[in-house]
Each structure stands twice: as C-alpha cells, then as structure tokens.
Amino acid sequence: MKLSARIAAPAAALVLAGLTATACAPQTSDNSAKKDEKSGTLRVWLFQEVNNKPKEQVVDAAVAAFGKEHKDAKVEIEYIPVETRTQKIKAAFNDPKSAPDLIEYGNTDTAGYVKDGGLADVSAEFTAWDEAKDTDPTARQSVTVGGKIYGAPLFVGVRALYYRTDVFKELGIAAPKTQDELIATAKKIHKAKPELYGLAVGGAYTYGAMPFIWAQGGELAEESGGSYKAAINSPAAQKGITAYTSLFGDDNCPAAKCASMGGNATVTAFASGKAAMAIGGDFSHQAVEAGSVKGKYAVVPLPGLKAGETAPAFAGGNNIGVLKSSSHRTLAVDLMKQFAGKETQRKLFDAMGFLPTYTDVRSEVAKKEPFVDPFVKTLGAGAKFVPASPGWGQIDASLVLPTMFQEIVSGKKDVAAASGDAVKKMDAAFAAAG
C-alpha cells in the first residue's frame, strides 16, 4: 500500500504498515447505484501526503484536463489522512449519500474493500482502455480480486539495498552479489566498525523480511479455489526466516535495539549514519538525501541466492477506484483513467517521486532520474504481492509476522515453533474472511 512502502514519502506505500482489520468489519449491504448521471459533481478522496502541495498541483492539472472533455461535470477533491482512512472509507461504504465517487486506496486494502462491497467492478472498462495494456503485471494484480478488476493502479513502490560507498571503500569491500554475501558483509562491517549496524534490520519490518523468504522459494500463503492457506512454515519459508533473523544479534544489529524496529526506523538509522546498509524504498530516497549520508551512498537491487539474481521485493503502492454507490459511474471511470493515466503518472513521478505502474513510462523516468534505476530493475526482475484476501488486513494489523520474527530473535521460540504459531493465526484470519 502506499502505506508501508511510502511512509517516508509514500510511506504508506508501502505504508502498509498501518493496515486495519478488514476481516472483522461488518459487510455492507448492496449499495449499487441505480442511475448513471452524465453531469453533476464528482467527489474524490485522495490521500494527504507529508508534503501535499506538489501532489495537489498534479491533481489539479488532471482535473482541468478532465473538465475540457466533460463540460457538464465538476470535481471536488478532498485530501484525507492515511492513518484514519479505513474508518472513513468504511463509513462511506455504509452511507452512499455521503460517499465519494472515487477513492485512492492502498493496494493491500483492495480485497477487504471488495469484500465490504464498496468498490465497483471496472473490468470491462479497464480491459478496453488502451493504456492499460502497458500496466505492470504485479500492479494489475493489486487491483484484481477473484479475476475481476476493481480500480486502476496509481503508483508502485519497491525496496532495494542502500549501502555506504565510503564505508565499503574504506574496508575494501564490494556490494554483495548474493544473499549469503549480504549477511557475511553485514557482519564483517559491524566487526570492523562496532558503532555501525552492518545491515539495519527490524523485527517489525515485514516487507524488508519478505525478500529473504521469497528468494528461498517460500510464500506467505497458497491459494486454492479462491481461499488461502498460510505457508509461512514451509521448509523454504523457514530457510528465509532463518536467514533474516540471523541478522539480529551482537554481530550485526543487536536484538535489544533492532527487534522492535520497523521499516522507517531502519531507513532513519541509515540516513543518520548509524548503519552501513539498509533495505529501503524508492520512496525513501528523499529521506536519505536529507540525512548525513548524502553523497556517500549507492543503491543496488537486493541480491538473491545466486550472483546475478535479484530477491523478489514486495510491490507496494496505491490504486484509485470507483465506488459501487457512485451515481456517476461513466464519468467516474473517465476521471479514474485521467488520474491513473500515463500523463498524470509522469507528473506524479516528477512531483512526488512515485514510480509509475506502466513499464514503458518507468523506463522513461529511469533514464531521466538515475536513482530510480535499481528499483526499476527490481520490479523488472519480478516483484510479489500479498495474498488477495481480506484476511490479509487482519494479519497485518495484528502484527502476526513481526510477532513471529520477534519471538525468534528474542530466543523465545525456534523458527519451526514461531512459524507454526504464525500459520495458525494466519489461517484463522483467512477463514474468518471467507
């Protein structure tokens, strides 16, 4: 979601961290609109950014372009806080009279909002939209539930490896080429420079840990017949958990300090000069540039098991969708296309640094801004997404995976026991979600 990924900027992107327990929310009644008016006022809710002015300018330009084609329509934009979005959006699903026509939402919220009956199925319009053919497959997956499409991807966020070029040069080491090298390099740096974390890691950093699990062939869950079963305790997943949790300790990132850290804390540690490496997003770039390491770092894709491989990263980001209750469906879909179209995504990148969801536009911006290149390469290598189940919101909000990591690094449980307990909690959430 925009959530976690972008807390720094998007935070949310990914700032997914703040997901809410969608699985426990009451399902709304059928609020499908009974009419499709071709004039009137469209209401739009978008997320409020830390620095919102650049976003407002891009949005205003998109609204102006829409207005030229739709003279009888007006657009009202409201920027809502990311932290309280779920309560506000759920209330709108239950009260069509006060609901907007379009909403921006974190991509991990999709399945929950579909279950709640809030989002309109726009499969036909999306499929017929010429620009949509260039949408990144993972971004498309983030608006898809049960084979139907419930919105358009607005931007994507992904993580890669930030490292201190000055520290690496001083110690005569090169950027790691494999996951084993990454772990060994982190410990080598910390031994040589005990004041630094070799690689800043966090027990509450779910999306920093997932590449280690995915690189080993592990999965969060397996889907069958539309339902999900947790798979975080499979042999492959346990290998990845073991690799990630091996980075917590006095030889790299002491558990007493690092077990409670989330993604933002690890990026802050790097930006402030307390870590030689960190797993950060494209959306972390501004924060790092504003830190003490400016001019002394580089970014490469997070390495996989073998040299030349990239570990799969989580594809966070935000989408924009039409509410099922909108009485202006045709106009709302056209406005959705305007907001999520290539031209607006180019402008959002220039203004906010949000990565476009179109493969061709991403290639364009990578040529324009070199810092984007490792993130584009990471996406091109094959990013992954969370289970498209409304149960995921409950799993994320109840900190199932951070609890698992923290139990392991504290020595409370071994990998098998902690992952087994996590599976029970995940399966309960999947089952409750239906």
Side-chain angles (χ1 to χ4, degrees), residues 74-133:
K74 292 183 179 179
V75 178
E76 290 181 358
I77 306 290
E78 179 181 348
Y79 292 92
I80 66 173
V82 173
E83 298 75 20
T84 55
R85 74 193 186 289
T86 297
Q87 299 90 315
K88 188 174 177 72
I89 290 172
K90 291 291 183 69
F93 291 166
N94 285 293
D95 183 13
K97 291 179 182 175
S98 68
D101 298 274
L102 275 169
I103 58 168
E104 178 179 357
Y105 61 96
N107 64 15
T108 57
D109 288 335
T110 307
Y113 289 171
V114 170
K115 179 181 172 64
D116 291 338
L119 296 174
D121 174 0
V122 295
S123 303
E125 295 95 332
F126 188 89
T127 304
W129 183 22
D130 184 56
E131 290 192 347
K133 72 180 187 303

Coordinates of all heavy atoms in Angstrom, one line a residue, residues 74-133:
K74 N -18.4 18.7 -12.6 CA -17.5 19.4 -11.7 C -16.8 18.3 -10.8 O -17.3 17.2 -10.6 CB -18.2 20.4 -10.9 CG -18.8 21.5 -11.6 CD -19.5 22.5 -10.7 CE -20.0 23.7 -11.5 NZ -20.7 24.7 -10.6
V75 N -15.6 18.7 -10.3 CA -14.9 17.7 -9.5 C -14.5 18.4 -8.2 O -13.9 19.5 -8.2 CB -13.6 17.2 -10.2 CG1 -12.8 16.3 -9.3 CG2 -13.9 16.5 -11.5
E76 N -14.8 17.7 -7.1 CA -14.4 18.2 -5.7 C -13.4 17.2 -5.1 O -13.7 16.1 -5.0 CB -15.6 18.3 -4.8 CG -16.6 19.4 -5.2 CD -17.8 19.5 -4.2 OE1 -17.8 18.7 -3.3 OE2 -18.6 20.4 -4.4
I77 N -12.2 17.7 -4.8 CA -11.2 16.9 -4.2 C -11.1 17.1 -2.7 O -11.0 18.3 -2.2 CB -9.8 17.2 -4.8 CG1 -9.9 17.1 -6.4 CG2 -8.7 16.3 -4.3 CD1 -10.0 15.7 -6.9
E78 N -11.1 16.0 -1.9 CA -10.8 16.1 -0.5 C -9.6 15.3 -0.2 O -9.5 14.1 -0.6 CB -12.0 15.7 0.3 CG -11.8 15.7 1.8 CD -12.9 15.2 2.6 OE1 -14.0 15.1 2.1 OE2 -12.8 15.0 3.9
Y79 N -8.6 15.8 0.5 CA -7.4 15.0 0.9 C -7.6 14.5 2.3 O -7.9 15.3 3.3 CB -6.2 15.9 0.8 CG -5.8 16.2 -0.6 CD1 -6.3 17.4 -1.2 CD2 -5.1 15.4 -1.4 CE1 -6.0 17.7 -2.5 CE2 -4.8 15.6 -2.7 CZ -5.3 16.8 -3.3 OH -5.0 17.1 -4.6
I80 N -7.6 13.2 2.5 CA -7.9 12.6 3.8 C -6.6 12.0 4.4 O -5.7 11.5 3.7 CB -9.0 11.5 3.7 CG1 -8.5 10.3 2.8 CG2 -10.2 12.1 3.0 CD1 -9.5 9.1 2.8
P81 N -6.5 11.9 5.7 CA -5.3 11.4 6.4 C -5.2 9.9 6.1 O -6.2 9.1 6.2 CB -5.6 11.6 7.9 CG -6.6 12.7 7.9 CD -7.5 12.5 6.7
V82 N -4.0 9.4 5.9 CA -3.8 8.0 5.6 C -4.2 7.1 6.8 O -4.8 6.1 6.8 CB -2.4 7.7 5.2 CG1 -2.1 6.2 5.1 CG2 -2.1 8.4 3.9
E83 N -3.8 7.7 8.0 CA -3.9 6.9 9.2 C -5.3 6.5 9.6 O -5.6 5.5 10.2 CB -3.3 7.7 10.4 CG -1.8 8.0 10.3 CD -1.5 9.1 9.3 OE1 -2.4 9.9 9.0 OE2 -0.4 9.1 8.8
T84 N -6.3 7.4 9.2 CA -7.7 7.2 9.6 C -8.5 6.8 8.4 O -9.8 6.9 8.4 CB -8.3 8.4 10.3 OG1 -8.1 9.5 9.4 CG2 -7.6 8.6 11.6
R85 N -7.9 6.5 7.3 CA -8.6 6.3 6.0 C -9.6 5.1 6.1 O -10.7 5.2 5.5 CB -7.6 6.0 4.9 CG -7.0 4.6 5.0 CD -5.8 4.4 4.0 NE -5.4 3.0 4.1 CZ -4.8 2.4 5.1 NH1 -4.6 3.1 6.2 NH2 -4.5 1.1 5.0
T86 N -9.2 4.1 6.8 CA -10.1 2.9 6.8 C -11.5 3.2 7.4 O -12.5 2.8 6.9 CB -9.4 1.7 7.5 OG1 -8.2 1.4 6.7 CG2 -10.3 0.5 7.5
Q87 N -11.4 3.8 8.6 CA -12.7 4.1 9.2 C -13.6 5.0 8.4 O -14.8 4.8 8.2 CB -12.5 4.8 10.6 CG -11.7 4.0 11.6 CD -10.2 4.2 11.5 OE1 -9.6 4.2 10.4 NE2 -9.5 4.3 12.7
K88 N -12.9 6.0 7.7 CA -13.7 7.0 6.9 C -14.2 6.3 5.7 O -15.4 6.5 5.3 CB -12.8 8.1 6.5 CG -13.5 9.3 5.8 CD -12.5 10.5 5.6 CE -13.1 11.6 4.8 NZ -14.1 12.4 5.6
I89 N -13.4 5.5 5.0 CA -13.9 4.8 3.8 C -14.9 3.8 4.1 O -15.9 3.6 3.4 CB -12.6 4.2 3.1 CG1 -11.8 5.3 2.5 CG2 -13.1 3.2 2.0 CD1 -10.4 4.9 1.9
K90 N -14.8 3.0 5.2 CA -15.8 2.0 5.6 C -17.1 2.7 5.9 O -18.2 2.2 5.5 CB -15.4 1.2 6.8 CG -14.2 0.3 6.6 CD -14.6 -0.8 5.7 CE -13.4 -1.8 5.6 NZ -13.1 -2.5 6.8
A91 N -17.1 3.9 6.5 CA -18.3 4.6 6.8 C -19.0 5.0 5.5 O -20.2 5.0 5.3 CB -18.0 5.8 7.6
A92 N -18.2 5.4 4.5 CA -18.7 5.8 3.2 C -19.4 4.6 2.5 O -20.4 4.8 1.8 CB -17.6 6.4 2.3
F93 N -18.8 3.4 2.6 CA -19.4 2.3 2.0 C -20.8 2.0 2.6 O -21.7 1.5 1.9 CB -18.6 1.0 2.3 CG -17.2 1.0 1.6 CD1 -16.2 0.1 2.0 CD2 -16.9 1.8 0.6 CE1 -15.0 0.0 1.3 CE2 -15.7 1.8 -0.1 CZ -14.7 0.9 0.3
N94 N -21.0 2.4 3.9 CA -22.3 2.1 4.5 C -23.2 3.3 4.4 O -24.4 3.1 4.8 CB -22.0 1.8 6.0 CG -21.5 0.4 6.2 OD1 -22.1 -0.6 6.0 ND2 -20.2 0.4 6.7
D95 N -22.8 4.4 3.8 CA -23.7 5.6 3.7 C -23.4 6.2 2.3 O -22.7 7.2 2.2 CB -23.3 6.6 4.8 CG -24.3 7.8 4.8 OD1 -25.3 7.7 4.0 OD2 -24.0 8.8 5.4
P96 N -24.1 5.6 1.3 CA -23.9 6.1 -0.1 C -24.1 7.6 -0.3 O -23.5 8.2 -1.1 CB -24.8 5.3 -0.9 CG -25.1 4.0 -0.1 CD -25.0 4.5 1.3
K97 N -25.0 8.2 0.5 CA -25.4 9.6 0.3 C -24.2 10.5 0.6 O -24.0 11.6 0.0 CB -26.5 10.0 1.3 CG -27.9 9.3 0.8 CD -29.0 9.7 1.8 CE -30.3 9.0 1.4 NZ -31.4 9.3 2.3
S98 N -23.3 10.1 1.6 CA -22.2 10.9 1.9 C -20.9 10.4 1.2 O -19.8 11.0 1.4 CB -22.0 10.9 3.4 OG -21.5 9.6 3.9
A99 N -21.0 9.3 0.5 CA -19.8 8.7 -0.1 C -19.3 9.5 -1.3 O -20.1 10.1 -2.1 CB -20.1 7.3 -0.5
P100 N -18.0 9.4 -1.6 CA -17.4 10.0 -2.8 C -17.7 9.1 -4.0 O -18.2 8.0 -3.8 CB -15.9 10.1 -2.5 CG -15.7 8.9 -1.5 CD -16.9 8.8 -0.7
D101 N -17.3 9.5 -5.1 CA -17.4 8.7 -6.3 C -16.1 7.9 -6.6 O -16.2 6.8 -7.1 CB -17.7 9.6 -7.5 CG -19.0 10.3 -7.4 OD1 -20.1 9.8 -7.8 OD2 -19.0 11.5 -6.9
L102 N -15.0 8.5 -6.2 CA -13.7 7.9 -6.4 C -12.9 8.0 -5.1 O -13.0 9.0 -4.4 CB -12.9 8.7 -7.5 CG -13.1 8.4 -9.0 CD1 -12.5 9.5 -9.8 CD2 -12.5 7.0 -9.3
I103 N -12.1 6.9 -4.9 CA -11.1 7.0 -3.7 C -9.8 6.5 -4.1 O -9.6 5.6 -5.0 CB -11.6 6.1 -2.5 CG1 -11.8 4.7 -2.9 CG2 -12.9 6.7 -1.9 CD1 -12.0 3.7 -1.8
E104 N -8.8 7.1 -3.5 CA -7.4 6.5 -3.6 C -7.3 5.5 -2.4 O -7.8 5.8 -1.3 CB -6.4 7.6 -3.4 CG -4.9 7.1 -3.4 CD -3.9 8.2 -3.2 OE1 -4.3 9.4 -3.2 OE2 -2.7 7.9 -3.1
Y105 N -6.7 4.4 -2.6 CA -6.6 3.4 -1.5 C -5.3 2.6 -1.7 O -4.7 2.4 -2.8 CB -7.8 2.4 -1.5 CG -8.0 1.6 -2.8 CD1 -7.5 0.3 -2.8 CD2 -8.7 2.1 -3.9 CE1 -7.7 -0.5 -3.9 CE2 -8.9 1.3 -5.0 CZ -8.4 0.1 -5.0 OH -8.6 -0.7 -6.2
G106 N -4.8 2.1 -0.5 CA -3.6 1.3 -0.5 C -3.8 0.0 -1.2 O -4.9 -0.6 -1.0
N107 N -2.9 -0.5 -2.0 CA -3.1 -1.7 -2.7 C -3.4 -3.0 -1.9 O -4.0 -3.9 -2.4 CB -2.1 -1.9 -3.8 CG -0.7 -2.2 -3.3 OD1 -0.5 -2.5 -2.2 ND2 0.3 -2.1 -4.2
T108 N -2.9 -3.0 -0.6 CA -3.2 -4.1 0.2 C -4.6 -4.1 0.8 O -5.1 -5.0 1.4 CB -2.2 -4.3 1.3 OG1 -2.2 -3.1 2.1 CG2 -0.8 -4.6 0.8
D109 N -5.3 -2.9 0.6 CA -6.7 -2.8 1.0 C -7.7 -3.3 0.0 O -8.9 -3.5 0.3 CB -7.0 -1.3 1.2 CG -6.4 -0.7 2.5 OD1 -6.0 -1.5 3.4 OD2 -6.2 0.5 2.5
T110 N -7.3 -3.6 -1.2 CA -8.2 -4.0 -2.3 C -9.2 -5.1 -1.9 O -10.4 -4.9 -2.0 CB -7.4 -4.4 -3.5 OG1 -6.5 -3.4 -3.9 CG2 -8.4 -4.6 -4.7
A111 N -8.6 -6.2 -1.5 CA -9.5 -7.4 -1.2 C -10.5 -7.1 -0.1 O -11.7 -7.5 -0.2 CB -8.7 -8.6 -0.8
G112 N -10.1 -6.4 0.9 CA -11.0 -6.1 2.0 C -12.1 -5.1 1.6 O -13.3 -5.3 1.9
Y113 N -11.8 -4.1 0.8 CA -12.8 -3.2 0.3 C -13.8 -3.9 -0.7 O -15.0 -3.5 -0.7 CB -12.1 -2.0 -0.4 CG -11.4 -1.1 0.6 CD1 -10.6 0.0 0.1 CD2 -11.5 -1.2 1.9 CE1 -10.0 0.8 0.9 CE2 -10.9 -0.3 2.8 CZ -10.1 0.7 2.3 OH -9.5 1.5 3.2
V114 N -13.3 -4.8 -1.5 CA -14.2 -5.6 -2.3 C -15.1 -6.4 -1.5 O -16.3 -6.5 -1.8 CB -13.3 -6.5 -3.3 CG1 -14.3 -7.4 -4.1 CG2 -12.6 -5.6 -4.3
K115 N -14.6 -7.1 -0.5 CA -15.5 -7.9 0.4 C -16.6 -7.1 1.0 O -17.7 -7.5 1.2 CB -14.6 -8.6 1.4 CG -15.5 -9.5 2.4 CD -14.6 -10.1 3.5 CE -15.4 -10.8 4.5 NZ -16.2 -11.9 4.0
D116 N -16.2 -5.8 1.4 CA -17.1 -4.9 2.0 C -18.2 -4.4 1.0 O -19.0 -3.6 1.4 CB -16.4 -3.8 2.7 CG -15.6 -4.2 3.9 OD1 -15.9 -5.3 4.5 OD2 -14.6 -3.5 4.3
G117 N -18.0 -4.7 -0.2 CA -19.0 -4.3 -1.2 C -18.9 -2.8 -1.6 O -19.8 -2.2 -2.1
G118 N -17.7 -2.2 -1.4 CA -17.5 -0.8 -1.7 C -17.1 -0.4 -3.1 O -17.4 0.6 -3.6
L119 N -16.2 -1.3 -3.7 CA -15.6 -0.9 -5.0 C -16.4 -1.5 -6.2 O -16.9 -2.6 -6.1 CB -14.2 -1.4 -5.0 CG -13.2 -0.7 -4.0 CD1 -11.9 -1.4 -4.1 CD2 -13.1 0.8 -4.3
A120 N -16.5 -0.7 -7.2 CA -17.2 -1.1 -8.4 C -16.2 -2.0 -9.3 O -15.0 -1.8 -9.4 CB -17.6 0.1 -9.3
D121 N -16.8 -3.0 -9.9 CA -16.1 -3.9 -10.9 C -16.0 -3.1 -12.2 O -16.9 -2.8 -12.8 CB -16.9 -5.1 -11.1 CG -16.3 -6.1 -12.1 OD1 -15.3 -5.7 -12.8 OD2 -16.9 -7.1 -12.4
V122 N -14.7 -2.7 -12.5 CA -14.5 -1.9 -13.7 C -13.7 -2.8 -14.8 O -13.0 -2.2 -15.6 CB -13.7 -0.6 -13.4 CG1 -14.6 0.3 -12.6 CG2 -12.4 -0.9 -12.7
S123 N -13.9 -4.1 -14.7 CA -13.1 -5.0 -15.6 C -13.3 -4.6 -17.0 O -12.3 -4.6 -17.8 CB -13.5 -6.4 -15.3 OG -13.4 -6.8 -14.0
A124 N -14.5 -4.4 -17.5 CA -14.7 -4.1 -18.9 C -14.1 -2.9 -19.3 O -13.4 -2.8 -20.4 CB -16.3 -4.1 -19.1
E125 N -14.2 -1.8 -18.5 CA -13.6 -0.5 -18.9 C -12.1 -0.6 -18.9 O -11.4 0.0 -19.8 CB -14.1 0.6 -18.0 CG -15.6 0.9 -18.1 CD -16.4 0.1 -17.1 OE1 -16.0 -0.9 -16.6 OE2 -17.5 0.6 -16.7
F126 N -11.5 -1.2 -17.9 CA -10.1 -1.3 -17.7 C -9.5 -2.1 -18.9 O -8.5 -1.7 -19.5 CB -9.7 -2.0 -16.4 CG -8.2 -1.9 -16.1 CD1 -7.7 -0.9 -15.4 CD2 -7.4 -3.0 -16.5 CE1 -6.3 -0.8 -15.1 CE2 -6.0 -3.0 -16.2 CZ -5.5 -1.9 -15.5
T127 N -10.1 -3.2 -19.2 CA -9.6 -4.1 -20.3 C -9.7 -3.4 -21.7 O -8.8 -3.6 -22.5 CB -10.5 -5.4 -20.4 OG1 -10.4 -6.0 -19.1 CG2 -9.9 -6.3 -21.4
A128 N -10.7 -2.5 -21.8 CA -10.9 -1.8 -23.1 C -10.0 -0.5 -23.2 O -9.8 0.1 -24.3 CB -12.3 -1.4 -23.3
W129 N -9.4 -0.2 -22.1 CA -8.6 1.1 -22.0 C -7.2 0.8 -22.7 O -6.5 -0.1 -22.2 CB -8.4 1.4 -20.6 CG -7.7 2.7 -20.3 CD1 -7.4 3.8 -21.1 CD2 -7.1 3.0 -19.0 NE1 -6.8 4.7 -20.4 CE2 -6.5 4.3 -19.1 CE3 -7.0 2.4 -17.8 CZ2 -5.8 4.9 -18.1 CZ3 -6.3 3.0 -16.7 CH2 -5.8 4.3 -16.9
D130 N -6.9 1.6 -23.7 CA -5.6 1.3 -24.4 C -4.4 1.4 -23.6 O -3.5 0.5 -23.7 CB -5.5 2.3 -25.6 CG -4.4 2.0 -26.5 OD1 -4.3 0.9 -27.0 OD2 -3.5 2.9 -26.7
E131 N -4.3 2.3 -22.7 CA -3.1 2.5 -21.9 C -2.9 1.3 -20.9 O -1.7 1.0 -20.6 CB -3.1 3.8 -21.1 CG -3.0 5.0 -21.9 CD -2.8 6.3 -21.1 OE1 -2.9 6.3 -19.9 OE2 -2.4 7.3 -21.8
A132 N -3.9 0.7 -20.5 CA -3.9 -0.4 -19.5 C -3.0 -1.6 -20.0 O -2.5 -2.3 -19.1 CB -5.2 -0.9 -19.2
K133 N -2.8 -1.7 -21.3 CA -2.0 -2.9 -21.8 C -0.6 -2.8 -21.3 O 0.1 -3.8 -21.3 CB -2.1 -3.0 -23.3 CG -1.3 -1.9 -24.0 CD -1.5 -2.1 -25.5 CE -0.6 -1.1 -26.3 NZ -0.8 0.3 -26.0

